[in-house]
C-alpha cells in the first residue's frame, strides 16, 4: 500500500531538505541552479515554504513569496522526479492557492502567479489543467567575450560609445550611492514585477554577497555627480546553469537609466562599458543576461551587441 502524502508549511525550513530535493530536480531538468555552498537560492529565501512528504521523505516542495511589486503572490513548485505523475504537483498547487487566499475554481484573474524554470512541458500541462495561463517569459541570452588583445574587443559591438556631454562613469561607492541607485531603479523599472520593488536594504544585503564587486557596479553621473543610470555586473564564480561547470561567467545583472536621461544612447554605453569591464578587468570569456521576452527594443539592442537567445523561464497566472 502506498503511503499517503502529507503537506506542511513552515517559515523556517531546513535548508538541507530543500536543497536535497532541488539537487534531484536539477539532475534531471538542469534547473534550478544549486548554490555552491548548498544554501537556499536567493529567490527561495524568506516567504513561506511547503513540503510534501511520503513517510519521512520529501517528495515535493513549494515556495510562496510575499508578493511581487504589484502585490501578487508568486510561487515556485518542485516535485522529485521519481514521484512525478502521482498528483503531487496538483496537491502542492492547491495548498499554495489556499495559502494565498485564491480558489482554483474562481475565475477572477491574475491573483496568483507561478514560475516554470526552463519552460518545462510538465509544468505547462499542469498549468492548463488548473486554469493558469502563460503570461510572461523571462528570456536568457548569452555571448562570448573577446580578450582585450583580440580585434573584436574594439570592434563595432564592443567599442565604447561616446558618452553624452558632461556625463562620466565611476564605480559605485558602498555607503554612499544606495539611495540614488534605488531612486533611479524605481523610475526606470516602475513597470517591472520584481526589479521595481528593489530597496536600499536589498542593495546593502547584496553588498555582503561574495560576488559583489563595486568596481563592476558602474554609475553614469553628470557634472554635479547626479546619477543618470547604472550597470550592475555580476560574476558567477562557479559558472552559470547550463554552461561549463566551474568556469566563471559574467552577467549583465541590471542596466537602469533614469527616464529623463533615456534616448541618448546612455543605456547602450553603460551595457558596453560593463561588458568591457567583465572581459578586461575580470578576464571572463562569456557573459549572460535576462530580459523580458516581450521587450523587443531590449532584445534588439542585445542582439546588436552580439547576444543570442539561450533559454527561458515562464510565468503563469491564474
Amino acid at each position: 500500500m502506498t503511503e499517503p502524502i502529507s503537506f506542511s508549511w513552515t517559515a523556517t525550513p531546513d535548508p538541507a531538505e530543500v536543497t536535497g530535493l532541488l539537487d534531484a530536480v536539477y539532475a534531471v531538468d538542469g534547473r534550478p541552479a544549486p548554490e555552491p555552498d548548498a544554501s537556499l537560492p536567493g529567490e527561495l529565501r524568506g516567504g513561506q515554504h511547503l513540503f510534501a512528504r511520503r513517510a519521512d521523505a520529501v517528495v515535493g516542495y513549494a515556495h510562496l513569496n510575499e508578493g511581487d511589486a504589484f502585490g501578487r503572490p508568486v510561487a515556485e513548485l518542485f516535485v522529485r522526479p521519481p514521484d512525478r505523475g502521482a498528483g503531487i504537483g496538483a496537491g502542492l498547487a492547491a495548498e499554495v492557492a489556499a495559502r494565498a487566499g485564491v480558489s482554483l475554481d474562481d475565475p477572477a484573474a491574475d491573483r496568483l502567479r507561478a514560475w516554470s524554470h526552463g519552460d518545462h512541458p510538465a509544468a505547462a500541462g499542469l498549468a492548463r489543467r488548473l486554469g493558469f495561463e502563460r503570461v510572461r517569459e523571462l528570456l536568457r541570452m548569452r555571448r562570448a567575450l573577446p580578450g582585450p588583445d583580440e580585434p573584436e574587443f574594439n570592434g563595432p559591438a564592443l567599442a565604447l560609445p561616446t558618452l553624452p556631454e558632461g556625463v562620466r562613469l565611476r564605480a559605485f561607492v558602498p555607503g554612499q550611492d544606495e539611495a540614488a541607485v534605488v531612486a533611479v531603479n524605481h523610475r526606470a523599472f516602475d513597470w517591472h514585477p520584481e526589479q521595481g520593488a528593489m530597496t536600499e536594504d536589498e542593495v546593502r544585503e547584496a553588498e555582503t554577497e561574495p560576488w559583489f564587486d563595486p568596481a563592476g557596479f558602474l554609475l553614469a553621473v553628470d557634472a554635479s555627480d547626479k546619477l543618470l543610470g547604472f550597470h550592475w555586473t555580476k560574476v558567477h564564480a562557479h559558472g552559470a546553469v547550463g554552461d561549463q561547470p566551474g568556469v566563471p561567467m559574467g552577467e549583465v545583472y541590471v542596466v537602469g537609466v533614469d527616464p529623463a536621461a533615456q534616448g541618448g544612447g546612455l543605456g547602450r554605453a553603460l551595457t558596453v562599458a560593463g561588458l568591457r569591464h567583465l572581459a578586461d578587468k575580470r578576464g571572463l570569456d562569456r557573459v549572460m543576461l535576462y530580459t523580458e521576452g516581450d521587450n523587443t527594443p531590449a532584445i534588439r539592442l542585445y542582439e546588436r551587441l552580439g547576444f543570442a537567445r539561450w533559454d527561458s523561464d515562464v510565468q503563469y497566472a491564474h
Side-chain angles (χ1 to χ4, degrees), residues 2-24:
T2 303
E3 291 280 348
I5 303 296
S6 63
F7 297 93
S8 60
W9 286 93
T10 180
T12 55
D14 178 353
E17 285 196 312
V18 178
T19 57
L21 183 135
L22 294 183
D23 287 345

Side-chain angles (χ1 to χ4, degrees), residues 105-277:
D105 297 322
D106 186 345
D110 207 5
R111 292 190 293 140
L112 173 64
R113 291 194 168 197
W115 279 110
S116 168
H117 293 285
D119 198 4
H120 200 287
L126 178 63
R128 285 192 300 270
R129 292 195 300 275
L130 297 179
F132 284 76
E133 296 181 359
R134 182 184 180 117
V135 293
R136 184 180 169 199
E137 179 186 30
L138 188 59
L139 185 66
R140 192 162 62 150
M141 306 179 74
R142 64 176 293 172
R143 65 153 293 163
L145 286 175
D149 57 344
E150 298 178 51
E152 191 188 354
F153 187 77
N154 291 305
L158 295 183
L160 186 62
T162 302
L163 292 169
E165 185 176 356
V167 177
R168 64 185 177 91
L169 299 183
R170 67 168 175 83
F172 176 89
V173 179
Q176 170 186 298
D177 292 322
E178 290 84 356
V181 165
V182 167
V184 167
N185 183 80
H186 282 180
R187 290 192 290 272
F189 294 103
D190 60 356
W191 53 273
H192 197 278
E194 291 94 26
Q195 189 61 34
M198 185 175 73
T199 66
E200 292 181 41
D201 285 343
E202 288 173 337
V203 176
R204 294 188 187 97
E205 183 178 354
E207 292 170 19
T208 67
E209 296 286 347
W211 56 263
F212 181 78
D213 174 21
F217 196 159
L218 305 176
L219 308 186
V221 297
D222 66 11
S224 64
D225 206 42
K226 177 184 177 182
L227 182 64
L228 305 176
F230 62 91
H231 182 177
W232 191 351
T233 67
K234 183 177 183 178
V235 176
H236 299 265
H238 299 276
V241 62
D243 196 60
Q244 300 177 42
V247 178
M249 189 177 202
E251 180 180 346
V252 178
Y253 189 43
V254 189
V255 177
V257 177
D258 195 305
Q262 292 176 3
L266 185 56
R268 185 181 192 280
L270 280 163
T271 303
V272 172
L275 296 178
R276 292 171 67 91
H277 170 84

Side-chain angles (χ1 to χ4, degrees), residues 52-103:
R53 291 184 171 87
R54 178 181 288 120
D56 293 328
V58 175
V59 294
Y61 164 76
H63 176 260
L64 184 66
N65 69 16
E66 304 295 340
D68 63 16
F70 304 108
R72 298 172 300 215
V74 182
E76 299 191 46
L77 290 72
F78 307 92
V79 177
R80 197 170 71 100
D83 296 287
R84 290 173 178 172
I88 296 171
L92 289 169
E95 291 282 338
V96 165
R99 192 76 168 191
V102 172
S103 168

